[in-house]
Amino acid sequence: MDYATYRSNYFVQPPPTPRFDFVGIHGATLFFAEYEAAVDFYQRVLGPPSYREGAYTHGWRVGNSWLTLLKGEAGAPRQVEVPLIMATPAEAERLQAALIAAGGKGTPPSDQLMYAPVRSCPVADPFGTQWLIFSFLTPAAASESV
């Protein structure tokens, strides 16, 4: 199916008026019972954190936002998927490969129609957090997703 057909089939027209004036999401906070192991995993992939507060708060700059890890209860996080938009499909594949090399599990990259045509590089960290790493396939696709 081409993207025009996909939009016609799945997007509401006219789009509903948003109830709030959102600017965006300012990050993701994940809670881990195995906190030290999670911090070690993410440091191996992302490098040292940009923010540390006490023993149980570590944060990394992710584009114009933040990824924060906090100490949590057993079993957390559950059924979480965090999307990360990368600059290029090659960069999406590079991050996926780094997460897999550090102990994550992923499926081969594929081109998908989501809100726009994207290269999708899903991966799960060793603690169960799902990461949807993707890049828009064209600059026009990025502007269409807004």
Side-chain angles (χ1 to χ4, degrees):
M1 160 181 342
D2 67 17
Y3 187 63
T5 303
Y6 177 82
R7 282 190 69 90
S8 174
N9 287 345
Y10 298 106
F11 283 71
V12 175
Q13 292 299 328
T17 303
R19 292 183 179 182
F20 301 94
D21 189 15
F22 290 108
V23 173
I25 295 176
H26 190 62
T29 300
L30 303 175
F31 296 82
F32 293 93
E34 299 174 52
Y35 185 76
E36 290 79 11
V39 169
D40 180 62
F41 174 80
Y42 283 99
Q43 284 187 120
R44 283 185 280 141
V45 175
L46 302 175
S50 305
Y51 177 83
R52 289 173 57 170
E53 183 178 332
Y56 296 116
T57 304
H58 288 74
W60 288 261
R61 205 66 175 137
V62 179
N64 64 353
S65 194
W66 290 92
L67 168 63
T68 304
L69 305 187
L70 298 176
K71 178 88 171 150
E73 299 175 8
R78 291 187 186 180
Q79 298 183 342
V80 174
E81 179 181 77
V82 181
L84 291 175
I85 306 169
M86 305 304 290
T88 65
E91 193 68 359
E93 292 177 17
R94 191 168 81 87
L95 176 57
Q96 182 196 42
L99 287 160
I100 291 169
K105 295 183 178 165
T107 58
S110 63
D111 293 345
Q112 301 290 324
L113 296 176
M114 289 187 351
Y115 302 110
V118 300
R119 171 76 39 82
S120 174
C121 302
V123 64
D125 73 14
F127 314 97
T129 305
Q130 301 292 317
W131 292 92
L132 177 55
I133 303 163
F134 70 95
S135 175
F136 295 105
L137 291 176
T138 65
S143 64
E144 288 174 353
S145 74
V146 179

